[in-house]
Amino acid sequence: SLFEGFGLPVLEAMSASCPVAASDAGSLQEITAGVGCSFSPYETEQIADALDWLVRLDPAERARQVAIGREQAAHFSLERFVEGTRAIYERLC
């Protein structure tokens, strides 16, 4: 992706126990926060290296990536979103 306004596909992948390789464009660095492998969407060699990294993950590292990805995804739960939005509205009223 060359630009992501929020990064829902990456968040969904982490929530679904998938290790991620994501571009460093837009909000994706904030969403991944160092989880997985990042790459420039303009550098085909970096994209290929990231995909190679995903394919070659050994079972222990894959399990570690899944665990930290799920932990990171939990920071962006629907409940937190609703609570944060409500808090903003309450401050405005």
Side-chain angles (χ1 to χ4, degrees):
S1 178
L2 297 177
F3 180 80
E4 288 286 339
F6 177 70
L8 192 57
V10 174
L11 189 59
E12 288 175 331
M14 291 188 299
S15 295
S17 300
C18 295
V20 296
S23 91
D24 58 12
S27 65
L28 293 176
Q29 287 183 335
E30 180 182 348
I31 299 298
T32 59
V35 174
C37 183
S38 66
F39 56 85
S40 167
Y42 300 101
E43 300 293 332
T44 55
E45 189 170 315
Q46 287 185 23
I47 297 168
D49 288 346
L51 293 175
D52 188 56
W53 174 81
L54 280 172
V55 170
R56 295 180 187 280
L57 280 174
D58 64 59
E61 181 60 16
R62 184 183 196 293
R64 188 179 85 75
Q65 288 294 321
V66 165
I68 62 176
R70 289 180 62 86
E71 184 178 319
Q72 177 63 14
H75 293 289
F76 297 94
S77 70
L78 180 57
E79 292 80 15
R80 265 189 94 197
F81 169 74
V82 170
E83 289 171 15
T85 302
R86 184 184 61 205
I88 290 169
Y89 285 134
E90 287 174 351
R91 278 185 295 193
L92 293 174
C93 294

